[in-house]
Amino acid sequence: MFDCLKKIWYNCFLIFFFPVVPGIPTVPFSCLSCGNEGVRTSCLPEGKMGSNSSRISDLPKNEYLKKLSGTDSVSENDPFWNQLLSFSFPAPTSSTELKLLEEATVSVCRSLVVNNPRTGNLGALIKVFLSRTKELKLSAECQNHIFIWQTHNALFVICCLLKVFICETSEEELQLHFTYEEKAPGSYSSDSEDLLEELLCCLMQLITDIPLLDITYEISVEAVSTMVVFLSCQLFHKEVLRQSISHKYLMRGRCLPYTSKLVKTLLYNFIRQEKPPPPGAHVLSQQSDGGGLLYGLASGVATGLWTVFTLGGVGSKAAAAPELSSPLANQSLLLLLVLANLTDAVDAPNPYRQAIMSFKNTQDSSPFPSSIPHAFQINFNSLYTALCEQQTSDQATLLLYTLLHQNSNVRTYMLARTDMENLVLPILEILYHVEERNSHHVYMALIILLILTEDDGFNRSIHEVILKNITWYSERVLTEISLGSLLILVVIRTIQYNMTRTRDKYLHTNCLAALANMSAQFRSLHQYAAQRIISLFSLLSKKHNKVLEQATQSLRGSLSSNDVPLPDYAQDLNVIEEVIRMMLEIINSCLTNSLHHNPNLVYALLYKRDLFEQFRTHPSFQDVMQNIDLVITFFSSRLLQAGAELSVERVLEIIKQGAVALPKDRLKKFPELKFKYVEEEQPEEFFIPYVWSLVYNSAVGLYWNPRAIQLFTMDSD
């Protein structure tokens, strides 16, 4: 009964504060709870859909858009807003559709940029939106489809306009557009309302407080998108912004208290992966019998914007881009990454990064230290599951990296999981398909492995997880292999790919660092993994010899001609020798710490022992070769004593027996191989362009003219 009264009161409220537009009939309705008849206002007359086809190119001539962007002021109470906002169209998603929409409306937007300082129409539109959002939560409870629909349309128009204003004007000019206040001639006031801050606070409230229902899904996506657009001023600057309008509003003032709640909501949006409502559930979808009330209402706006979008316009063709299963999750994740990578303000650290660094598991009952601001709790099990399932996207991998690197609570929780294969396998698959991934995605996957291998418990446990039939690994059928051996295989493959293709020293360094971290805990290496370790060393040896030969030939040739500059073979040789030494240290670490656990590696070492001959006396490798040489000599002697033509099984048996007999004190002790990932100085120079390239390439329903973008080049990964 109370719900029924609340809904009747709410509709009376709407009639009082949003009066019926003259000439527009009211529409009878029944209370959703008890069936009592009441009155709902509608700005839309019933009628049939317009039959004249319109093109998107007609948008600049649309009378409502012309009035919005024209020279006359429109009061926020004018019935015009009801007419302007009564359009419906399938939201454009493909870049082609969005490009068409932007090109068609840019002249209208530019006209508004010119006229708005005198008319204040942008401010009036925002005030209309702000007044409506105050009732959104109740509208959702009461299933007031039309109210939510028009509020969404208002936000969509604001988002489109804001995007152009940010691109076309300086930050100072932008703020002036949002602080317009009608004043009497000759008067002056310094306390004008800042509608931009008001709008941002409203968007944060909308994202965090409005229940996610079929009828509110699109407005939730639009709110997140509008915040992304607000932050997009970074796209139009080559340098990383350290002082900007974003810092002014989002790191202090009225927006700051929403920090933890916003970060938590965006994370949960990512975790839940809520799909958009099915077409039949859309507020304006035509019912199967063609007579649905809402469809009948919407179809009457034949002279508004709607016909432009539905007849031969943006919504007339299917999106070319593949549909995301959850636009809200995708958009929320992009906004979260943008917020997390804002640079610190001059006088305050980035609060969104602070929130990401400090949140805890809902199972953790320990109190937060008073020194940690913006703290909150979230279900780590759900977060872990979502991260495991979503690693095919760059942005999910970047989120995983961010959490592992910056949040010690998350890192500790993940390393304690007994099902780490669910997280590691998708990361290995990214590296395995390195040819299909952009370099940044590969870097993130590799650094995640490096961070994980810093933990000895992880390095031990991955050799205890046995996997069966890894279908995506095509070089060889792997019917049964440990997760640790598979990790070694994939990392070595990445090194070999890099040697022949990209020749990226950064990639080499991180691959070898991950192998080095694991080496002391190598256990029961698969025979193929052991072979690949030695095969990689063989490849490096050949490359080393080839560079030496080229350097010698060039030196001889230069004796007869002083005009030809020599290639920098010394630098190439230095890089190769660094990698060779690292590989020798990895093999040595395994032999020193876990020789008796790895007969397959000893077997591969003996099989290719001639490879190591040239490095025994080399000054760069002499020390690390001592143990390897000792092991080769020791086991070769035992095999010689056992006789000729030994089977593989017999050789392995002799190796296992010899591993027990080998005096450990004869092996020289070396410092433990340990590498720790540390971000380079000013990491924002890498991460901010990367994050915005992800937004540019994968945000839903957002398009920026590539010619206007300064932050990164279009061919960057």
Side-chain angles (χ1 to χ4, degrees):
M1 182 63 185
F2 174 76
D3 287 343
C4 176
L5 291 172
K6 183 168 70 171
K7 289 169 184 174
I8 292 173
W9 171 87
Y10 170 62
N11 283 282
C12 292
F13 175 91
L14 290 180
I15 295 168
F16 185 81
F17 286 99
F18 300 102
V20 178
V21 180
I24 304 295
T26 59
V27 181
F29 82 106
S30 298
C31 175
L32 296 172
S33 296
C34 67
N36 288 341
E37 288 195 58
V39 174
R40 170 180 285 156
T41 59
S42 168
C43 60
L44 303 170
E46 288 195 76
K48 295 184 178 179
M49 183 169 58
S51 57
N52 294 328
S53 117
S54 300
R55 294 167 302 178
I56 200 164
S57 56
D58 293 335
L59 275 174
K61 304 170 194 169
N62 181 274
E63 59 179 296
Y64 299 104
L65 292 180
K66 285 171 71 175
K67 185 170 182 179
L68 172 68
S69 60
T71 55
D72 295 331
S73 296
V74 183
S75 163
E76 61 195 272
N77 299 314
D78 197 298
F80 161 80
W81 300 110
N82 278 334
Q83 297 165 325
L84 173 72
L85 303 178
S86 298
F87 63 86
S88 171
F89 63 96
T93 53
S94 75
S95 58
T96 304
E97 292 173 347
L98 291 160
K99 183 172 183 286
L100 286 171
L101 177 62
E102 172 139 324
E103 289 173 349
T105 55
V106 71
S107 62
V108 173
C109 295
R110 285 173 177 165
S111 179
L112 183 63
V113 169
V114 172
N115 293 321
N116 186 67
R118 291 185 297 277
T119 65
N121 286 346
L122 176 62
L125 171 60
I126 290 171
K127 287 178 181 178
V128 169
F129 169 72
L130 293 173
S131 66
R132 285 171 173 266
T133 55
K134 292 171 185 174
E135 301 306 318
L136 261 184
K137 197 168 184 179
L138 193 52
S139 295
E141 291 175 12
C142 296
Q143 295 285 304
N144 192 325
H145 294 254
I146 292 177
F147 187 87
I148 293 171
W149 163 53
Q150 287 194 331
T151 308
H152 166 269
N153 287 351
L155 184 54
F156 175 81
V157 174
I158 290 169
C159 186
C160 292
L161 293 173
L162 182 61
K163 189 150 66 70
V164 175
F165 271 71
I166 286 173
C167 182
E168 299 276 331
T169 66
S170 67
E171 290 195 349
E172 293 76 14
E173 291 172 317
L174 179 66
Q175 286 183 274
L176 287 174
H177 280 286
F178 280 86
T179 51
Y180 170 86
E181 185 177 51
E182 192 171 348
K183 305 178 184 71
S187 67
Y188 175 78
S189 172
S190 60
D191 57 349
S192 59
E193 185 179 18
D194 191 336
L195 285 175
L196 192 48
E197 185 174 38
E198 186 90 20
L199 175 63
L200 287 170
C201 288
C202 178
L203 292 174
M204 288 182 166
Q205 286 178 311
L206 202 161
I207 293 166
T208 57
D209 293 346
I210 300 302
L212 192 58
L213 309 170
D214 280 357
I215 60 172
T216 61
Y217 189 93
E218 286 188 11
I219 197 169
S220 295
V221 174
E222 201 64 51
V224 177
S225 298
T226 306
M227 283 205 69
V228 172
V229 165
F230 167 71
L231 290 157
S232 68
C233 53
Q234 175 64 79
L235 279 172
F236 311 109
H237 294 80
K238 282 186 178 179
E239 71 286 353
V240 168
L241 295 179
R242 301 181 188 279
Q243 291 184 8
S244 70
I245 194 169
S246 307
H247 293 80
K248 174 182 176 180
Y249 290 112
L250 294 178
M251 295 195 184
R252 56 177 68 86
R254 294 173 54 197
C255 292
L256 191 60
Y258 294 101
T259 297
S260 59
K261 198 172 181 182
L262 178 64
V263 171
K264 183 176 181 177
T265 302
L266 295 175
L267 272 174
Y268 268 126
N269 285 348
F270 166 71
I271 289 169
R272 289 170 180 146
Q273 294 289 316
E274 289 281 355
K275 293 178 171 55
H282 191 280
V283 60
L284 297 165
S285 291
Q286 186 171 13
Q287 305 300 315
S288 57
D289 61 1
L293 170 66
L294 293 172
Y295 180 81
L297 291 172
S299 65
V301 197
T303 56
L305 288 177
W306 186 56
T307 50
V308 176
F309 288 114
T310 54
L311 303 175
V314 171
S316 63
K317 294 182 181 179
E323 283 190 18
L324 289 161
S325 60
S326 177
L328 179 61
N330 180 72
Q331 217 82 334
S332 295
L333 178 52
L334 291 172
L335 175 57
L336 182 65
L337 292 172
V338 169
L339 290 170
N341 285 283
L342 285 172
T343 57
D344 294 337
V346 175
D347 54 350
N350 178 346
Y352 305 94
R353 189 184 302 120
Q354 285 183 316
I356 284 171
M357 290 171 65
S358 59
F359 71 82
K360 296 194 308 184
N361 194 356
T362 48
Q363 305 299 315
D364 187 347
S365 57
S366 61
F368 282 103
S370 56
S371 59
I372 297 180
H374 315 298
F376 63 91
Q377 290 179 291
I378 204 165
N379 187 306
F380 277 17
N381 183 56
S382 301
L383 176 61
Y384 180 80
T385 302
L387 285 166
C388 292
E389 292 173 350
Q390 300 299 321
Q391 286 306 306
T392 50
S393 77
D394 284 63
Q395 45 267 41
T397 304
L398 181 53
L399 175 63
L400 175 58
Y401 158 79
T402 303
L403 295 177
L404 278 173
H405 178 54
Q406 298 186 2
N407 190 313
S408 59
N409 301 320
V410 172
R411 184 169 60 254
T412 301
Y413 172 85
M414 288 187 176
L415 288 168
R417 294 283 301 205
T418 57
D419 59 348
M420 276 299 290
E421 67 273 17
N422 292 337
L423 187 69
V424 175
L425 280 172
I427 298 299
L428 294 183
E429 199 168 350
I430 292 167
L431 291 175
Y432 186 78
H433 297 293
V434 60
E435 303 95 335
E436 302 164 19
R437 303 289 179 185
N438 70 64
S439 60
H440 288 9
H441 199 184
V442 172
Y443 285 154
M444 291 300 104
L446 194 52
I447 293 168
I448 286 166
L449 287 186
L450 180 55
I451 292 171
L452 293 173
T453 61
E454 290 171 15
D455 182 76
D456 285 341
F458 171 83
N459 295 331
R460 284 190 297 270
S461 65
I462 56 174
H463 292 288
E464 297 166 5
V465 178
I466 304 301
L467 308 167
K468 296 182 184 296
N469 299 317
I470 307 300
T471 54
W472 48 262
Y473 193 94
S474 59
E475 269 90 340
R476 177 170 173 153
V477 176
L478 299 175
T479 53
E480 189 170 288
I481 189 170
S482 72
L483 179 60
S485 288
L486 181 64
L487 195 158
I488 292 166
L489 283 174
V490 172
V491 171
I492 286 175
R493 185 181 183 275
T494 306
I495 293 172
Q496 290 180 318
Y497 172 81
N498 186 44
M499 284 174 63
T500 56
R501 304 284 183 87
T502 55
R503 302 181 67 185
D504 183 337
K505 186 181 177 182
Y506 182 84
L507 207 62
H508 268 338
T509 303
N510 284 286
C511 284
L512 292 166
L515 289 177
N517 283 347
M518 296 167 60
S519 60
Q521 277 85 32
F522 283 173
R523 295 288 187 276
S524 305
L525 289 184
H526 191 281
Q527 61 179 20
Y528 187 51
Q531 288 170 20
R532 298 308 295 160
I533 291 172
I534 304 304
S535 295
L536 175 58
F537 186 79
S538 173
L539 186 66
L540 290 165
S541 301
K542 290 175 184 174
K543 199 168 184 65
H544 178 264
N545 294 340
K546 185 179 179 181
V547 173
L548 266 178
E549 186 182 338
Q550 289 173 334
T552 305
Q553 290 175 352
S554 294
L555 190 61
R556 286 172 184 160
S558 67
L559 295 176
S560 58
S561 174
N562 295 324
D563 300 328
V564 181
L566 280 174
D568 195 355
Y569 287 115
Q571 185 177 351
D572 286 350
L573 199 62
N574 184 49
V575 171
I576 292 169
E577 289 188 351
E578 279 181 19
V579 176
I580 287 175
R581 179 170 178 89
M582 192 79 157
M583 283 301 300
L584 289 171
E585 287 180 341
I586 289 166
I587 295 168
N588 176 65
S589 173
C590 177
L591 296 178
T592 307
N593 294 283
S594 55
L595 181 142
H596 58 293
H597 289 297
N598 293 291
N600 284 326
L601 181 63
V602 177
Y603 182 98
L605 198 63
L606 294 171
Y607 189 74
K608 293 281 189 179
R609 53 184 174 269
D610 293 346
L611 281 174
F612 298 88
E613 198 65 38
Q614 63 176 308
F615 300 107
R616 289 176 66 186
T617 56
H618 194 294
S620 298
F621 313 119
Q622 217 169 4
D623 58 337
V624 76
M625 272 299 300
Q626 288 181 38
N627 287 340
I628 297 172
D629 194 34
L630 187 151
V631 168
I632 289 173
T633 304
F634 176 83
F635 284 99
S636 294
S637 173
R638 293 182 74 91
L639 289 174
L640 197 61
Q641 292 171 17
E645 297 185 7
L646 301 172
S647 66
V648 173
E649 291 75 16
R650 178 62 183 145
V651 172
L652 286 171
E653 187 182 332
I654 293 168
I655 290 171
K656 288 174 184 175
Q657 293 168 353
V660 178
L662 177 67
K664 301 295 186 291
D665 56 355
R666 290 179 60 188
L667 294 171
K668 181 183 175 182
K669 293 293 181 187
F670 284 83
E672 187 180 11
L673 275 183
K674 273 297 172 188
F675 292 86
K676 186 176 178 61
Y677 170 71
V678 179
E679 278 187 347
E680 294 183 10
E681 287 186 26
Q682 297 186 316
E684 63 275 8
E685 298 290 342
F686 169 84
F687 284 103
I688 289 177
Y690 178 34
V691 169
W692 277 107
S693 71
L694 294 180
V695 173
Y696 175 82
N697 287 307
S698 54
V700 181
L702 291 176
Y703 168 83
W704 287 273
N705 184 341
R707 291 190 297 275
I709 291 175
Q710 300 291 316
L711 183 62
F712 52 83
T713 56
M714 289 301 106
D715 59 349
S716 66
D717 286 331

